[in-house]
Amino acid sequence: MVAVLMAALVSGLGAVGVARAASSGKAVEVQNASTTDGAKVVQLTDRGGANQQGQLVRTSGVLAQVHSVGRAKDAGNTVQYSWPGVYFEGRVRGTGVGIVLNDSAADYDVQIDGATVTTLVTPGDTTHWIYGLQDREHTVRLVKRNDTPGDISTFGGFVAAPGGAVLSKPAARSRQIEFIGDSLTVGYGNLSTSRTCTWDQLKRNTNSDVSYGALTARQLNADYQINGYSGRGMVRNFNGGDADVTYRTFYDRALQSVSGDVWQNPGTWRPQVVVVNLGTNDFSTAVNPGEPWTPDSLAAGYRSAYGDFLQKLRAQYGTGTTIVAVGAGRYAGHVQQVVKARNDAGDSGVRYWFLDDSGLDFLGCDWHYSAHDDRLIADRLVPFITGLPTGW
């Protein structure tokens, strides 16, 4: 049925608007058209029928066909994840590729041969087909744009259009960086043109793939994790909320909403650099009545927890990893003290980096970094990282 529909579209019906065709009792939507390498690209979304085209039979699991370093739980024919910025990279040969997803909360960018061809907004239970590619080898990349810590995302792999094939996965990059932080690390509202955003505007305008972490990694040709959680702090969350948990409660998890869940590192994630940027939420608002803090005890508790967290990272990754502790605003001095204490204790692999906010416009939602700010921060962070003893 899809082949008949495609022939009609390409021969004259066009791909503007929405068309539907019954196929095994399920709807196929023609979403839009774009151009890649001069070819007409038609995109079809097969709602709720991943096996409709008979192309999803595979002899190995999803992670055997894609390159990914994100925190994902391997379920064989699917993987589950919840952190922002998780990406999957694959190679296909032929004129089309399908992206198998089950996600009603997050948004995704689909990139083919390095160019973004579409954004999938809360796609649901879907196989999203992109046809009209030149009949050759293509790279395809799927990246989760926003943070959805209360939900579980599911990816079922890439599939080739009839006559094509999914090829062996791309090679991993030799460099790896992990970014740990809050909404500023997530890329919260960074594409917004206004600081005032509705909830829906915030979700549509958050893009971790153009956060300062992702931009830094790409400049360095490094694989990366964006382990950011909006609103969380080292010991105190934004405005004192959810006092029974902090960022550290969730750091070890693959699925943030699953208590007790622990991400199982497959042994391939060994970052040479870990960048920690936590403290904005701890200190951005005054201590409220009823909170178990005074300004002095909050500062002391923050420094103590930060030191413990750095020790946890050191034990987790070993002495070959350089840990960059970011200081900015009200927490910069506290971070400096923590780094000095680690250095005095003999850990020279912890470095302090002051995040210079000069020139930042904070035009993202709710006064967060804009895309302009993320680029500027990345441009400042890259030379600092290249000056570390990593050989980069």
Side-chain angles (χ1 to χ4, degrees):
M1 185 54 144
V2 169
V4 174
L5 179 61
M6 281 298 303
L9 285 167
V10 175
S11 64
L13 293 180
V16 179
V18 176
R20 294 179 185 272
S23 180
S24 301
K26 301 183 178 73
V28 176
E29 293 184 12
V30 181
Q31 293 191 322
N32 51 56
S34 58
T35 301
T36 300
D37 293 340
K40 176 176 284 188
V41 175
V42 178
Q43 302 187 49
L44 305 172
T45 299
D46 175 7
R47 299 288 179 188
N51 287 306
Q52 177 177 325
Q53 305 307 319
Q55 298 294 311
L56 303 189
V57 177
R58 58 170 68 92
T59 58
S60 58
V62 170
L63 293 181
Q65 67 155 212
V66 300
H67 168 61
S68 179
V69 297
R71 294 190 171 189
K73 293 178 73 74
D74 185 2
N77 284 336
T78 63
V79 291
Q80 295 180 319
Y81 48 94
S82 61
W83 292 94
V86 173
Y87 58 90
F88 304 97
E89 298 172 336
R91 297 167 57 243
V92 297
R93 184 183 67 248
T95 58
V97 60
I99 299 103
V100 184
L101 281 166
N102 190 349
D103 195 336
S104 298
D107 297 349
Y108 295 83
D109 280 344
V110 179
Q111 298 157 357
I112 295 181
D113 300 330
T116 299
V117 298
T118 193
T119 297
L120 306 179
V121 176
T122 59
D125 188 4
T126 298
T127 300
H128 184 85
W129 288 93
I130 298 173
Y131 288 99
L133 305 176
Q134 292 185 357
D135 191 2
R136 59 176 179 82
E137 179 182 324
H138 299 277
T139 60
V140 56
R141 182 175 186 263
L142 177 75
V143 57
K144 184 172 181 278
R145 288 168 54 114
N146 42 18
D147 52 338
T148 54
D151 296 274
I152 296 173
S153 304
T154 301
F155 173 56
F158 300 124
V159 287
V166 176
L167 306 176
S168 59
K169 62 184 178 182
R173 297 165 183 86
S174 61
R175 299 174 177 179
Q176 296 179 338
I177 310 178
E178 180 174 340
F179 295 91
I180 293 170
D182 50 35
S183 53
L184 294 172
T185 296
V186 169
Y188 179 109
N190 55 354
L191 299 185
S192 178
T193 58
S194 171
R195 295 182 178 126
T196 302
C197 302
T198 65
W199 178 249
D200 187 65
Q201 289 169 335
L202 167 62
K203 302 303 286 186
R204 304 293 81 79
N205 286 290
T206 294
N207 192 346
S208 295
D209 202 41
V210 291
S211 65
Y212 73 84
L215 295 176
T216 296
R218 279 200 286 278
Q219 286 193 46
L220 295 168
N221 191 28
D223 276 321
Y224 61 91
Q225 289 184 359
I226 304 289
N227 295 326
Y229 196 146
S230 295
R232 301 300 180 188
M234 188 68 78
V235 295
R236 179 177 182 259
N237 302 317
F238 177 73
N239 201 33
D242 296 333
D244 56 329
V245 296
T246 66
Y247 177 89
R248 293 175 296 130
T249 306
F250 303 93
Y251 172 72
D252 289 329
R253 297 183 185 180
L255 305 177
Q256 292 160 280
S257 61
V258 180
S259 179
D261 181 52
V262 176
W263 177 56
Q264 300 300 315
N265 188 335
T268 54
W269 182 245
R270 299 182 294 272
Q272 295 97 335
V273 179
V274 175
V275 179
V276 183
N277 186 4
L278 285 168
T280 298
N281 290 307
D282 296 86
F283 298 105
S284 61
T285 61
V287 174
N288 298 306
E291 287 191 64
W293 302 108
T294 66
D296 287 344
S297 68
L298 174 60
Y302 173 81
R303 291 192 298 268
S304 176
Y306 205 127
D308 291 344
F309 189 63
L310 294 182
Q311 177 57 38
K312 174 187 178 72
L313 293 174
R314 175 61 67 224
Q316 180 170 292
Y317 292 129
T319 57
T321 296
T322 300
I323 302 171
V324 177
V326 177
R330 298 178 182 177
Y331 61 96
H334 300 304
V335 176
Q336 277 185 302
Q337 291 184 50
V338 172
V339 171
K340 184 178 185 303
R342 290 293 306 174
N343 295 161
D344 290 346
D347 188 352
S348 61
V350 176
R351 302 295 184 93
Y352 174 74
W353 185 65
F354 177 68
L355 196 162
D356 178 8
D357 64 5
S358 62
L360 304 187
D361 57 36
F362 295 95
L363 287 177
C365 292
D366 302 318
W367 291 82
H368 282 69
Y369 299 148
S370 65
H372 161 272
D373 296 345
D374 279 315
R375 288 192 299 271
L376 192 58
I377 293 168
D379 288 344
R380 292 171 178 173
L381 181 55
V382 165
F384 178 82
I385 292 177
T386 57
L388 297 173
T390 59
W392 292 3

